[in-house]
């Protein structure tokens, strides 16, 4: 009974921290915890909803139609051979949002975050041809690192270091949930986490 409860909780955590929703969380964090909060509310909601539509809804639609067409075995994408299609779609949407942010003159650190997300998706897709690296852990590592830069480059409005602590704990929960559900091994979630950490750190260091 206890094991079933733990697996149910792990399943819920995996759903609400899916890689396709993490960019939306990062965007919300940027729009409501930095100086961007002073932008018109309509603009902030427009950017957030566009990010959600492109990076979350569009991949779901792609998964649905590929599943119906029999190109992928199951919408859960547990088979690593099913994942490249979705990673390719995610890469294109991340690049699209990055270009959109650049065109509306958003801060470079924000567009760089989305560009880094695109690169992590490409790397994850390439590695996935040989090895089932964790997309959940990659997304968690990306968002944890982005939160670190927001907090410690004084981009947040106040001393919000607690945001980084919370995100680090969430990342731990995400990786633990993947292990509990036996979707990945420890090495796969570790590699995924540092894949996200590396690319976001690199692009944020390059941002002006």
């Amino acid at each position: 009974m206890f094991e079933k409860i733990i697996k149910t909780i792990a399943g819920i955590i995996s759903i609400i921290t899916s890689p396709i929703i993490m960019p939306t969380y990062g965007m919300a964090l940027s729009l409501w915890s930095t100086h961007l909060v002073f932008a018109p509310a309509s603009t902030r909601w427009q950017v957030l909803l566009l990010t959600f539509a492109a990076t979350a809804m569009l991949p779901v639609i792609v998964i649905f139609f590929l599943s119906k067409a029999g190109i992928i075995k199951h919408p859960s994408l547990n088979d690593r051979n099913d994942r490249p299609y979705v990673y390719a779609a995610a890469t294109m949407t991340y690049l699209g949002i990055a270009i959109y942010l650049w065109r509306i003159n958003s801060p470079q650190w924000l567009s760089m975050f989305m560009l880094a997300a695109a690169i992590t998706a490409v790397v994850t897709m390439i590695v996935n041809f040989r090895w089932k690296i964790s997309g959940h852990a990659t997304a968690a590592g990306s968002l944890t690192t982005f939160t670190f830069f927001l907090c410690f480059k004084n981009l947040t409005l106040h001393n919000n270091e607690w945001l980084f602590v919370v995100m680090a704990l969430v990342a731990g929960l995400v990786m633990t949930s993947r292990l509990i559900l036996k979707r990945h091994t420890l090495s796969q979630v570790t590699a995924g986490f540092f894949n996200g950490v590396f690319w976001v750190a690199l692009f944020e260091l390059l941002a002006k």
Side-chain angles (χ1 to χ4, degrees):
M1 180 66 177
F2 179 73
E3 182 179 352
K4 184 177 180 180
I5 293 174
I6 293 298
K7 285 188 175 182
T8 299
I9 294 173
I12 293 172
I13 291 173
S14 288
I15 291 171
I16 63 177
T17 59
S18 170
I20 63 175
I21 195 65
M22 292 298 240
T24 301
Y25 293 153
M27 185 62 72
L29 187 66
S30 302
L31 295 172
W32 273 272
S33 71
T34 71
H35 68 276
L36 294 177
V37 75
F38 298 114
S42 59
T43 300
R44 282 181 284 134
W45 280 108
Q46 176 181 319
V47 173
L48 183 66
L49 292 175
L50 180 60
T51 300
F52 177 74
T55 64
M57 294 303 297
L58 188 56
V60 167
I61 294 171
V62 169
I63 292 171
F64 174 79
F65 281 108
L66 290 178
S67 179
K68 288 296 184 181
I71 297 175
I72 62 176
K73 297 180 180 67
H74 195 273
S76 64
L77 305 178
N78 287 329
D79 189 326
R80 67 181 175 85
N81 293 319
D82 290 341
R83 297 184 172 195
Y85 303 101
V86 180
Y87 285 132
T91 299
M92 297 303 294
T93 60
Y94 295 158
L95 285 174
I97 293 297
I99 293 170
Y100 167 73
L101 292 171
W102 173 71
R103 289 180 64 87
I104 64 172
N105 297 313
S106 71
Q108 196 175 80
W109 52 261
L110 184 54
S111 56
M112 282 295 202
F113 169 60
M114 296 306 302
L115 186 57
I119 299 301
T120 62
V122 171
V123 172
T124 304
M125 179 176 64
I126 293 172
V127 173
N128 188 77
F129 284 114
R130 291 281 185 174
W131 193 52
K132 192 181 175 184
I133 190 172
S134 174
H136 275 78
T138 295
S142 298
L143 190 52
T144 301
T145 307
F146 182 59
T147 306
F148 173 86
F149 275 90
L150 288 183
C151 293
F152 294 97
K153 287 181 73 174
N154 296 317
L155 294 173
T156 54
L157 294 178
H158 307 288
N159 294 325
N160 288 334
E161 286 80 3
W162 63 269
L163 287 173
F164 170 67
V165 175
V166 169
M167 191 57 232
L169 292 173
V170 169
L173 287 173
V174 172
M175 291 185 286
T176 301
S177 71
R178 303 308 286 170
L179 294 175
I180 291 173
L181 296 171
K182 297 181 180 180
R183 295 290 189 265
H184 294 284
T185 63
L186 180 60
S187 59
Q188 288 169 347
V189 296
T190 301
F193 181 80
F194 284 106
N195 176 35
V197 169
F198 176 78
W199 292 108
V200 173
L202 176 63
F203 278 83
E204 289 302 329
L205 287 171
L206 293 174
K208 296 179 181 178

